[in-house]
Amino acid sequence: MQVAIVSDTICPWCYIGKRRFERARAGRPVDLAVEWRPFQLNPDMPADGVDRQRYMVAKFGSEERVAEIFSAIEQAGESEGIQFVFDRIARTPNTVDSHRLIEYAGQQGVQDQVVEALFRRYFEQGEDIGDRAVLAAAGVDGGLDQESVGSFLAGTDGAEHVRRESEAASRMGISGVPCFIFEGKYAVSGAQPPDVFERVFELAAAAGTDDSADSPRPAA
């Protein structure tokens, strides 16, 4: 079964969604081929990123509101074994390079491992995943060769592909992430509980492949 996960590397709910999807997958004997696809929540983000606290206050209106949002995410993360350290994240980065790295990791067969490393370094260690040295380290964490991944990140290969993919996802109607697309037909939006994914596994498996489908339709 083909599953495309549309995600952004700075989205905490994408990390939580990954954990919940993994729990559902572990509980079902389903053979899955998973591909991570890029989405930019902030396509106009400066190349060097911005101060995270100022960005969050501008987005949500006040420091008090930001604290409330972080608290809710932290509680959800704890239930999935994730220890968010929002107070240690200094900058909100541009995510093009992190998505380039994920695409490269997919070509090397270690995409999921590199996605995991990026989430962990950003959300649990507070590192700047807009920094290419941090990105290279995440790539090595995920199983990539240090010299090769450093050379790749030094260039711009894949940057335009990331932008096109993100724009294509928006045209499909995806406005928030994570979004899990099963067999190109059924879409699960958000970090849903494992039982939701389990039901969609069954739905997609029972329906089989329908090449006539033009775009994914909501399953949850």
Side-chain angles (χ1 to χ4, degrees), residues 175-199:
S175 59
V177 287
C179 184
F180 301 77
I181 303 172
F182 294 77
E183 291 290 309
K185 297 188 301 180
Y186 304 106
V188 175
S189 181
Q192 299 290 341
D195 65 294
V196 172
F197 291 114
E198 291 169 2
R199 291 198 296 271

Side-chain angles (χ1 to χ4, degrees), residues 1-5 21 32-36 180-183 201:
M1 183 183 299
Q2 301 288 328
V3 184
I5 306 176
F21 174 77
L32 301 180
V34 177
E35 177 187 9
W36 289 83
F180 301 77
I181 303 172
F182 294 77
E183 291 290 309
F201 291 157

Side-chain angles (χ1 to χ4, degrees), residues 12-13 16 57 69 80 82 117 160 164 176 217:
W13 289 108
I16 293 169
V57 170
I69 291 169
E80 302 299 333
I82 300 170
E160 188 57 34
R164 288 198 305 268
R217 54 183 182 271

Side-chain angles (χ1 to χ4, degrees), residues 72-115:
I73 295 171
E74 287 167 353
Q75 290 180 29
E78 286 176 4
S79 69
E80 302 299 333
I82 300 170
Q83 299 297 317
F84 287 104
V85 291
F86 293 120
D87 59 327
R88 290 168 54 185
I89 301 175
R91 300 189 69 73
T92 296
N94 182 297
T95 60
V96 168
D97 276 345
S98 62
H99 286 304
R100 289 178 56 231
L101 175 62
I102 291 169
E103 293 285 314
Y104 178 73
Q107 297 167 16
Q108 310 304 314
V110 292
Q111 192 176 54
D112 196 76
Q113 296 92 318
V114 169
V115 170

Side-chain angles (χ1 to χ4, degrees), residues 107-151:
Q107 297 167 16
Q108 310 304 314
V110 292
Q111 192 176 54
D112 196 76
Q113 296 92 318
V114 169
V115 170
E116 178 72 21
L118 286 167
F119 281 148
R120 185 174 61 251
R121 282 181 172 270
Y122 186 60
F123 288 117
E124 297 195 78
Q125 299 176 17
E127 297 185 11
D128 181 2
I129 57 170
D131 184 320
R132 288 183 173 178
V134 172
L135 290 172
V140 173
D141 290 346
L144 294 172
D145 174 75
Q146 184 171 10
E147 183 175 351
S148 297
V149 73
S151 177

